[in-house]
Amino acid sequence: MKLVVQEFLTLDGVSQGPGAPDEDTSGGFTRGGWFVPHLDEEFERLAGEWLGEADALLFGRRTYENFARDWPTMTDHPFAPVLNGLPKYVASNTLTEASWDPTTILSGDVPAQVAELKRRPGRDLQIHGSADLARSLLAAGLVDELRLAIAPVVVGEGRRLFPEGAAPTALRPLSTRTTPGGLSVQIFTVTGRPEYGTYGAGA
């Protein structure tokens, strides 16, 4: 399977609490819900297409608990049958049981277990949110593709997908589009480590 990271980001790179003010208030974060004003039908169609490419889902504990709380009860949402039915994996050293079936808990050497999942046949193994997990797997060289939906807003605080000290990573753009709601949707393939140069050298 291909490991795909799907993230909602602000223009200043924050990934925390996109969907509601009370979605994730950890660390005293009070500016959640910043993504919602920019949602539109075009992006919802695109998100549905992406979800249709998934053969399994991978979460960090915090995102998993939020999804497990909400999606089993959202039976009228078109995404619910897919999200509720797909195999799910959650990386956690604290969870001992998971109620959102079918779920498997990954603990211990998570990168090694994810590498094993990637060797299985299938299409996408998708990470939704779970920025800490995504960042660790990107540093481990396991992420194949990034799908970023960037909202035209600066919130000024909160957890970032790429904070200071993130692993240097080279990307190749695959596609970009802007939705009517102002979202910049960018898809990249991960190509390894960056190259560096000096402007004008050898000219």
Side-chain angles (χ1 to χ4, degrees):
M1 288 190 285
K2 177 174 68 173
L3 183 59
V4 177
V5 171
Q6 298 183 183
E7 292 282 348
F8 300 161
L9 301 177
T10 65
L11 194 60
D12 55 336
V14 173
S15 59
Q16 185 172 358
D22 60 351
E23 178 183 0
D24 181 0
T25 59
S26 60
F29 185 63
T30 61
R31 300 176 184 178
W34 44 265
F35 192 79
V36 177
H38 307 286
L39 274 175
D40 53 45
E41 290 184 1
E42 180 176 325
F43 181 75
E44 294 231 353
R45 283 196 300 271
L46 179 60
E49 292 172 7
W50 289 349
L51 187 59
E53 298 171 4
D55 281 334
L57 304 173
L58 175 61
F59 299 97
R61 178 193 56 78
R62 185 165 33 227
T63 303
Y64 175 83
E65 290 179 337
N66 289 339
F67 274 53
R69 177 195 63 210
D70 297 336
W71 281 103
T73 65
M74 298 172 63
T75 54
D76 59 341
H77 195 288
F79 294 176
V82 181
L83 286 168
N84 291 326
L86 280 173
K88 291 167 278 286
Y89 300 89
V90 53
S92 175
N93 288 317
T94 58
L95 281 181
T96 57
E97 59 182 39
S99 60
W100 191 23
D101 292 331
T103 294
T104 301
I105 298 173
L106 307 180
S107 60
D109 190 346
V110 170
Q113 293 174 78
V114 172
E116 174 57 33
L117 289 175
K118 288 187 59 181
R119 286 191 283 270
R120 298 181 183 180
R123 298 172 300 166
D124 289 0
L125 171 61
Q126 293 183 359
I127 298 178
H128 290 231
S130 307
D132 291 347
L133 174 64
R135 191 165 52 253
S136 69
L137 296 177
L138 194 62
L142 292 171
V143 174
D144 299 296
E145 187 171 297
L146 289 175
R147 297 172 183 165
L148 307 179
I150 303 169
V153 59
V154 173
V155 296
E157 63 178 38
R159 287 192 309 278
R160 288 170 166 78
L161 178 60
F162 302 118
E164 185 75 20
T169 304
L171 307 170
R172 178 169 57 84
L174 295 179
S175 69
T176 184
R177 70 172 77 177
T178 302
T179 72
L183 296 172
S184 175
V185 182
Q186 302 181 27
I187 302 179
F188 302 90
T189 187
V190 179
T191 60
R193 297 302 184 215
E195 297 180 357
Y196 303 93
T198 301
Y199 177 72

